[in-house]
Amino acid sequence: MPADPLHRAGTPQRSTTSQPPNGSGASAIEVRRSDRRRRTVSAYREGDRTVVLIPARMSEAEEQRWVSVMLDKLAAQESKRVLGDDALAERAARLSEQYLGGRARPASVRWVTNQNTRWGSCTPAEGSIRLSHRLQGMPEYVLDYVLVHELAHLLVPGHGPRFWRLLEAYPRTERARGYLEGVAAAGRLPHPPGDHGE
């Protein structure tokens, strides 16, 4: 039987398992070090675990940096599998349940291609949420942040203190906002939801 191409680097010299950062989507991270692996780093999902393959000579600091890089890379690859509107609505329902106690119940959630000045929008009176197609391909935690942001608008229309308290429930709010700010700065695109108009 041919060797599994995912494990070509040989038997790991050392393997460690740890809990991932909040919101990464995996329940555990396993780092496998190999003497045969010289420069390359790779990662894949194995059930609910993320496996990161690294060279044995890497320092702990390099390991931590590469684990973070590879988690973001996997998340971006996974989010490129574009969700249809039905799957987007299901995701919104799950996020509402998880972070807003199920109180935000949109009537519709869909992708749109005509939002060039914002990442998402919400019309509370109709219960509709629209997300810019430009979010497709971004890491899942960014998409989830924009969804939670728009879901929160179903409960609180403006951006006052009550609104931002609702968003504190989502653990990757600051990271997602930073990501969107970086994209906006790089391409002079819209600012994260809540900045310069919704």
Side-chain angles (χ1 to χ4, degrees):
M1 180 180 227
D4 181 353
L6 294 174
H7 299 100
R8 246 183 254 154
T11 307
Q13 177 188 32
R14 184 177 65 136
S15 179
T16 57
T17 302
S18 62
Q19 291 307 111
N22 285 337
S24 70
S27 65
I29 300 165
E30 181 178 344
V31 177
R32 295 180 186 167
R33 290 175 172 265
S34 171
D35 286 326
R36 292 181 60 192
R37 187 172 283 269
R38 295 287 175 217
R39 292 181 303 222
T40 61
V41 176
S42 62
Y44 61 94
R45 303 277 194 215
E46 189 174 79
D48 65 349
R49 171 185 310 271
T50 300
V51 178
V52 181
L53 306 170
I54 65 172
R57 63 174 172 68
M58 249 185 210
S59 70
E60 292 296 320
E62 289 173 310
E63 174 183 318
Q64 288 175 4
R65 183 177 70 80
W66 275 106
V67 165
S68 179
V69 166
M70 297 311 287
L71 287 174
D72 285 347
K73 187 174 182 178
L74 282 174
Q77 289 170 351
E78 289 164 354
S79 70
K80 283 182 183 171
R81 296 180 205 121
V82 176
L83 299 174
D85 289 347
D86 290 341
L88 199 59
E90 289 173 20
R91 189 180 196 107
R94 181 177 45 80
L95 291 166
S96 174
E97 205 51 56
Q98 187 173 1
Y99 298 111
L100 302 170
R103 294 177 295 143
R105 294 189 181 109
S108 68
V109 182
R110 61 191 175 92
W111 296 108
V112 294
T113 58
N114 63 350
Q115 288 192 4
N116 297 318
T117 61
R118 48 179 85 172
W119 296 110
S121 62
C122 173
T123 306
E126 297 173 4
S128 64
I129 292 174
R130 293 160 306 283
L131 297 184
S132 171
H133 72 286
R134 290 173 294 121
L135 289 165
Q136 295 170 350
M138 290 189 187
E140 287 182 356
Y141 72 91
V142 175
L143 173 61
D144 287 351
Y145 164 71
V146 176
L147 275 170
V148 172
H149 183 106
E150 301 307 335
L151 287 164
H153 277 311
L154 293 175
L155 306 173
V156 180
H159 289 107
R162 189 168 154 244
F163 173 83
W164 292 109
R165 278 194 299 276
L166 284 175
L167 280 186
E168 288 174 1
Y170 183 64
R172 298 186 86 178
T173 291
E174 290 306 313
R175 185 171 186 188
R177 285 179 57 80
Y179 185 97
L180 291 172
E181 286 170 359
V183 170
R188 300 206 190 288
L189 294 174
H191 292 278
D195 291 352
H196 307 294
E198 190 54 22

